[in-house]
């Protein structure tokens, strides 16, 4: 399994592609504009102007797209991925998307003699650059084991969660956890500032105790320095939280923290902050 086709050359996709090439995978890419992918072409990626040309000879096709509608278009459109790959090809969707959609793709893939895994990731752009992503995989266990060397090229915490769609469910649960954590950080910092604490000393004090977290590590100083550049953008976080709400509703779950934090992020998105990082939530609190 040496020939990889990759669709989704965004902020996460590019470093993943570079890491695959570093350890010897041949990577073909599809992008709507060649101008935006000159950097990875110069590193060895082979560019194609159509999905069909990109994927038709690959051993494994990987997608990492923005929204569920993008996934549906790439997989099910005329000339799209499912009708263009060879029988027996392994297909991995690393987009965070609907578990229902993942199951639908898996069902169609099986009909066509293909192998499909849903494998969303967490770790942000830094994790992608460092080949240190956490990867949550849903699908057949044998398919997972065959694709494990590829996952190890881009991640360090790789887990087969269960059957089709289970990777997506795990990622949505992850996003629910992050929602509560980042809100807690913003509220704590709002309180600390109001009580006139030295904010850098405060962050240092809590960085190794029970309140420590990866979110605090990545967002705390950025919030103090008003650095709102995205490690993960609000528009994509809102998308993920909406997916989580849809799935929770199906199970008749009352996830009040999820709903509250989602409402705050939607307000920020309406105010024009959709491209900002998730740490921008501090603005909701007047920070």
């Amino acid at each position: 399994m040496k020939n990889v086709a990759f669709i989704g050359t965004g902020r996460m996709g590019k470093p993943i592609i570079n890491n695959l090439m570093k350890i010897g995978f041949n990577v073909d890419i599809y992008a709507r504009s060649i101008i935006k992918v000159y950097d990875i072409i110069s590193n060895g990626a082979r560019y194609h102007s159509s999905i069909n040309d990109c994927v038709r000879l690959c051993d494994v096709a990987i997608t990492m797209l923005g929204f569920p509608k993008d996934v549906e278009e790439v997989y099910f459109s005329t000339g799209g991925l499912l009708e263009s790959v060879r029988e027996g090809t392994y297909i991995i969707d690393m987009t965070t998307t609907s578990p229902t959609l993942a199951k639908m793709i898996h069902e169609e893939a099986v009909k066509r003699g293909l192998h499909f895994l849903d494998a969303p990731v967490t770790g942000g752009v830094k994790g992608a650059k460092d080949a240190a992503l956490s990867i949550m995989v849903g699908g057949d266990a044998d398919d997972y084991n065959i694709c494990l060397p590829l996952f190890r090229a881009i991640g360090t915490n790789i887990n087969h969660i269960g059957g089709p769609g289970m990777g997506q469910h795990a990622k949505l649960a992850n996003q629910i956890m992050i929602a509560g954590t980042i809100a807690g950080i913003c509220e704590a910092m709002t309180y600390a500032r109001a009580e006139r604490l030295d904010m850098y000393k405060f962050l240092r004090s809590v960085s190794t105790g029970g309140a420590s977290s990866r979110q605090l590590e990545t967002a705390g100083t950025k919030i103090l320095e008003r650095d709102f550049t995205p490690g993960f953008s609000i528009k994509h976080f809102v998308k993920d939280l909406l997916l989580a709400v849809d799935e929770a509703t199906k199970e008749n779950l009352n996830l009040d923290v999820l709903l509250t934090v989602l409402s705050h992020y939607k307000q920020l998105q309406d105010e024009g902050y959709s491209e900002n990082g998730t740490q921008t939530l501090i603005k909701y609190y007047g920070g």
Side-chain angles (χ1 to χ4, degrees):
M1 187 182 289
K2 280 293 183 182
N3 299 311
V4 177
F6 203 102
I7 301 172
T9 52
R11 297 177 71 247
M12 293 286 289
K14 283 185 177 182
I16 289 173
I17 291 165
N18 283 330
N19 285 327
L20 288 171
M21 291 190 294
K22 280 178 186 176
I23 68 162
F25 286 97
N26 305 312
V27 182
D28 292 83
I29 61 170
Y30 162 75
R32 290 188 175 93
S33 170
I34 191 172
I35 296 172
K36 295 182 178 180
V37 291
Y38 278 142
D39 50 349
I40 48 176
I41 292 172
S42 66
N43 289 339
R46 297 176 297 207
Y47 172 77
H48 301 272
S49 58
S50 74
I51 293 173
N52 179 277
D53 286 343
C54 180
V55 307
R56 63 190 179 87
L57 297 178
C58 69
D59 302 313
V60 57
I62 302 174
T63 53
M64 179 169 269
L65 305 162
F67 294 86
K69 62 181 176 58
D70 302 318
V71 176
E72 286 194 61
E73 180 182 348
V74 165
Y75 277 82
F76 292 103
S77 63
T78 301
L81 194 153
L82 287 175
E83 70 174 42
S84 298
V85 293
R86 299 176 296 180
E87 185 175 348
T89 300
Y90 289 80
I91 303 169
I92 303 170
D93 183 28
M94 306 192 90
T95 315
T96 300
T97 187
S98 159
T100 302
L101 178 56
K103 291 176 184 176
M104 185 170 70
I105 296 172
H106 178 268
E107 183 178 334
E108 185 61 30
V110 169
K111 289 179 184 176
R112 295 170 180 262
L114 307 171
H115 307 271
F116 176 75
L117 296 170
D118 52 283
V121 304
T122 186
V125 174
K126 186 178 188 305
K129 289 180 178 178
D130 295 344
L133 292 168
S134 295
I135 309 173
M136 310 165 201
V137 187
D140 184 82
D142 290 339
D143 294 343
Y144 165 79
N145 288 325
I146 288 171
C147 293
L148 196 51
L150 185 150
F151 291 134
R152 285 176 174 155
I154 60 177
T156 53
N157 183 10
I158 306 154
N159 294 280
H160 180 236
I161 304 298
M166 289 302 181
Q168 296 296 347
H169 279 302
K171 178 60 186 291
L172 295 183
N174 177 85
Q175 301 303 73
I176 294 169
M177 196 178 299
I178 289 174
T181 304
I182 191 70
I185 290 167
C186 289
E187 291 197 357
M189 293 181 72
T190 299
Y191 173 83
R193 183 177 283 114
E195 297 298 335
R196 297 176 178 81
L197 297 183
D198 180 308
M199 294 302 292
Y200 286 97
K201 287 182 179 178
F202 166 67
L203 286 184
R204 212 161 46 240
S205 296
V206 300
S207 65
T208 59
S212 63
S213 70
R214 183 68 177 272
Q215 284 298 306
L216 180 62
E217 178 185 330
T218 57
T221 302
K222 285 186 177 181
I223 289 171
L224 289 188
E225 297 176 354
R226 298 187 62 77
D227 176 3
F228 301 125
T229 55
F232 192 69
S233 69
I234 286 176
K235 69 179 181 181
H236 286 116
F237 199 46
V238 167
K239 178 261 295 184
D240 293 353
L241 297 186
L242 285 169
L243 288 169
V245 169
D246 286 345
E247 296 301 320
T249 300
K250 292 175 186 176
E251 298 293 340
N252 295 314
L253 300 176
N254 296 314
L255 303 183
D256 293 338
V257 172
L258 168 61
L259 293 172
T260 299
V261 178
L262 172 59
S263 71
H264 298 342
Y265 273 113
K266 288 174 75 174
Q267 179 177 322
L268 290 171
Q269 187 166 251
D270 291 343
E271 292 172 0
Y273 297 112
S274 64
E275 299 290 344
N276 285 34
T278 51
Q279 69 273 20
T280 310
L281 183 63
I282 195 68
K283 286 183 176 291
Y284 174 81
Y285 297 94

